[in-house]
Each structure stands twice: as structure tokens, then as C-alpha cells.
Amino acid sequence: MYRFSLLLAMLLVSCKPKIGPDTDVIIIPLGDVPAHQIDSVEQYLAATYNIAPQIITPVALPKNAFINVKRPRYRADSLLVYLKTVRKAEGADFAFGLTAEDISTTKRNAEGNIKKPENKYRDWGIMGLAYRPGREAVVSSFRLKRKPSFFYLRLQKVVIHEFGHNLGLPHCPDKSCVMTDAAEQISTIDHCEPVLCAKCYNSLSSAM
């Protein structure tokens, strides 16, 4: 199946705002994040979605997002709420958060209940989270470092994936598509390509 590099802007599914070079997307470093990681996220978003993200001054991780159940980390859903506050204060269209700290969420089944066993899934470490569709996404580089030679390719894929959720894309059954579900294994990310498959590309509304 052919792959597309997506050097076109896309249409957000929910309220259908056009996105492109004039769309105000801010990248928000949360806490102490290496400068090259921040610059890389800017490049990935710009090249894939034909936007011109702006990197704002780093902000501290919100204390109310901190949790220490299995290990010290930050709740991704709380970070999304915080990013929404920053986005509105900045008057931006989208907010993309990046942190080097570990983040987590609660994994639930189709009925909305915590997956079994609960002690495993109540506080589940993740690489990224985004509203679908929505205007906030957060990515953590913490879990991408386990194979240093793959780090930036992994970061690229997770960034494209989470912003794709903001644009309304669900997980894709095509395991080579960047929108595939990681299925709790980082190897899934390593095996997919850093672009959308034709089906995901075509499922988005026409671009500017």
C-alpha cells in the first residue's frame, strides 16, 4: 500500500477548522526537556502537517498531575487539562506538550471499566495521549530511550500519531501505518512507518 508524506494541511473533523501555515500551534515544553528534542518535535509537525508551530517558554509540570503509585510520574489526562489552560491563555489553536518525565493514564475497556487486572492498568505508563478530535496532545520521551539508536524515529512516530488523533484519526488496523495502536509494545512503533497509510490519509477531509 502506498504511503503519503502528508505535505498538505488537513481539516479537523469536529468543528472543521482548516489547518496550515497560519494555524497557531504551540509546542509547550513541560519541565526540563532537551532543546534538540523540542526542535525535533517542531520539525516533525511542520514537515508532516504543513504547519508552522511556535515553541513557547518551558513551563513547570503541574503539581496536581504528579502521582506516585507504581513510580513517580505524571497523569497524562491532567496534563491535557493543563495544556488546554495554557493554549487558551496563549490564544493558540492547538497545544502540543512535550516532557521528558514518565506519564501515565488509566486503561479502560469498551464498557468504560478499568481493564483487568486493575493493579496493572489503573496507572499505566504511556508514550503519549491526545484528545480525538481535539486541540491538546502530550508526548513523553521517557519510554522512547530504551533503544537509543531508535529514539528520534520513535519520537517522530509518536508525535505524528498523537497529532493525528487531534485531527480525528482513530487507531488504524494497518500495522505499518503510523496510526496503528501500539498494543502495549514499543516494538509496534518500531515496525510501523512514520507516515499515514492511504486509508487514514483519505479519511481526512480535503486540505487547503
Side-chain angles (χ1 to χ4, degrees):
M1 182 177 291
Y2 292 104
R3 297 289 185 272
F4 298 86
S5 62
L6 284 189
L7 297 179
L8 298 174
M10 289 178 280
L11 195 67
L12 186 64
V13 174
S14 57
C15 53
K16 301 185 182 302
K18 300 270 186 167
I19 70 165
D22 295 330
T23 303
D24 192 0
V25 180
I26 55 174
I27 297 171
I28 307 171
L30 297 166
D32 186 14
V33 183
H36 196 265
Q37 291 184 24
I38 301 170
D39 292 340
S40 295
V41 170
E42 186 273 333
Q43 293 168 18
Y44 302 148
L45 289 174
T48 303
Y49 296 106
N50 192 30
I51 56 179
Q54 299 298 312
I55 301 169
I56 70 168
T57 302
V59 298
L61 284 150
K63 293 181 179 179
N64 69 326
F66 181 77
I67 192 170
N68 193 2
V69 176
K70 296 179 181 178
R71 60 184 62 89
R73 50 194 178 193
Y74 291 82
R75 293 287 295 183
D77 46 352
S78 296
L79 293 179
L80 292 182
V81 173
Y82 179 64
L83 290 171
K84 183 176 182 179
T85 301
V86 178
R87 176 181 65 79
K88 288 187 172 182
E90 294 285 335
D93 299 311
F94 295 89
F96 197 99
L98 177 65
T99 181
E101 300 294 331
D102 198 12
I103 63 175
S104 64
T105 191
T106 298
K107 293 201 73 172
R108 300 181 182 275
N109 58 27
E111 290 72 40
N113 300 315
I114 300 174
K115 290 183 63 175
K116 304 294 183 180
E118 287 193 15
N119 64 340
K120 178 180 180 180
Y121 290 110
R122 184 177 299 278
D123 186 51
W124 179 254
I126 57 175
M127 293 163 280
L129 188 68
Y131 290 134
R132 182 181 70 86
R135 295 179 179 272
E136 293 83 35
V138 62
V139 164
S140 166
S141 62
F142 183 88
R143 294 175 177 270
L144 306 178
K145 300 174 183 177
R146 294 176 179 172
K147 195 171 184 180
S149 60
F150 282 19
F151 176 80
Y152 282 102
L153 184 56
R154 286 173 173 174
L155 182 63
Q156 179 184 19
K157 293 174 183 179
V158 176
V159 167
I160 295 171
H161 180 104
E162 298 304 339
F163 199 72
H165 281 325
N166 272 174
L167 298 176
L169 289 175
H171 285 143
C172 179
D174 183 344
K175 297 302 181 183
S176 64
C177 177
V178 74
M179 293 308 300
T180 191
D181 187 353
E184 303 182 8
Q185 296 184 31
I186 198 166
S187 60
T188 306
I189 296 173
D190 293 336
H191 293 152
C192 74
E193 298 179 31
V195 288
L196 300 179
C197 68
K199 182 177 179 180
C200 287
Y201 177 82
N202 292 329
S203 72
L204 295 171
S205 301
S206 58
M208 293 172 64

